Amino acid sequence: MEKNLSTKLMGLFFFQIGKKELSRTCRKNIYKEYQRILSRAKDIGKRNTLLSCYALGAWFIAMNREDDQSPEKNCTILMDGLRNSRIFRRVMGDADHYLDPKRIEKQKVWAKSTKARRYENDWVVDLLPGNESFDLGYDYHECGLCKLCKDEGCLELVKYLCKLDYMFADMMGLHLERTTTIAEGGEKCDFRFSRLK
């Protein structure tokens, strides 16, 4: 994957995560491995809606290679760092932003474009409009994080990245219901988002 300003800035942002738990040297080694992983990674497109998710996956893989803590501990470090970041909270937005009709229209266009499978490691997704059971749904039929972890020989790490989805939803004031994931052997990941009541 071609490195660009976005992935570099994301890496510098992730570098700040875990300052208390990880030494500066360890974080530098993680950053170098992050860059190596992205240089090997198959492209998903520069304007991909999930580019930050792909970069976060690369960072988590690098964490697990460059420090001696368990994947559970590294997941906790990552979650705490993201949860406590004002910048990240601002970027994530809230339920109103996530469920904004204009944003959803853009998401529909993106979801439709994934069917072309232009990029080998991209996600393939259906967007489901809200109904009486949920406000917005996604069915992911292919997962870029599963593909990245498989390519890197660490498919067992994906389940930890899947945990982040619940934290992201909670940060935005949304409830996430999910019954199956590709990482756990399911045919799809079924995301159903609803506003917290």
Side-chain angles (χ1 to χ4, degrees):
M1 178 173 159
E2 184 181 318
K3 286 185 253 182
N4 59 38
L5 182 60
S6 294
T7 56
K8 184 172 183 173
L9 291 174
M10 284 181 243
L12 294 173
F13 169 74
F14 299 144
F15 184 81
Q16 302 304 315
I17 292 172
K19 268 185 170 179
K20 294 177 185 174
E21 296 89 353
L22 304 170
S23 71
R24 184 170 180 79
T25 301
C26 181
R27 288 182 290 123
K28 280 184 177 179
N29 290 339
I30 292 169
Y31 184 74
K32 288 176 187 173
E33 179 63 9
Y34 162 82
Q35 291 180 313
R36 287 189 292 265
I37 291 167
L38 286 182
S39 69
R40 290 190 298 266
K42 295 173 182 137
D43 197 10
I44 63 167
K46 291 180 181 146
R47 298 184 187 268
N48 193 304
T49 299
L50 292 171
L51 180 61
S52 59
C53 186
Y54 201 62
L56 183 61
W59 186 267
F60 187 66
I61 294 168
M63 280 181 82
N64 284 281
R65 288 186 178 155
E66 296 300 325
D67 73 26
D68 58 0
Q69 301 187 78
S70 69
E72 292 88 357
K73 178 64 177 169
N74 283 328
C75 186
T76 300
I77 291 170
L78 199 56
M79 289 173 83
D80 289 346
L82 293 171
R83 195 180 288 119
N84 293 323
S85 169
R86 283 182 285 179
I87 294 169
F88 187 71
R89 284 185 171 278
R90 195 172 304 130
V91 169
M92 287 293 293
D94 59 14
D96 290 337
H97 166 75
Y98 197 73
L99 299 173
D100 181 274
K102 289 179 184 175
R103 184 186 174 283
I104 291 173
E105 285 304 312
K106 289 178 184 176
Q107 289 294 93
K108 284 180 185 175
V109 172
W110 167 73
K112 186 176 181 183
S113 75
T114 67
K115 305 294 189 312
R117 290 176 169 82
R118 185 171 169 205
Y119 299 101
E120 186 179 347
N121 268 22
D122 201 356
W123 285 256
V124 176
V125 61
D126 289 320
L127 184 141
L128 308 168
N131 58 36
E132 63 281 347
S133 300
F134 57 86
D135 293 310
L136 180 63
Y138 294 94
D139 281 343
Y140 286 87
H141 302 285
E142 295 181 23
C143 171
L145 289 176
C146 288
K147 294 173 186 180
L148 176 64
C149 286
K150 183 178 180 185
D151 291 347
E152 288 294 319
C154 55
L155 198 52
E156 71 282 356
L157 294 180
V158 182
K159 65 183 178 184
Y160 299 100
L161 292 165
C162 292
K163 290 180 182 183
L164 297 175
D165 296 323
Y166 290 96
M167 182 197 75
F168 297 154
D170 186 59
M171 287 176 72
M172 291 185 290
L174 293 166
H175 170 74
L176 169 59
E177 187 77 30
R178 189 172 60 200
T179 64
T180 182
T181 64
I182 296 166
E184 296 173 318
E187 291 183 16
K188 64 182 178 181
C189 303
D190 58 342
F191 288 74
R192 303 294 183 266
F193 293 100
S194 305
R195 289 180 187 272
L196 290 175
K197 296 182 174 128

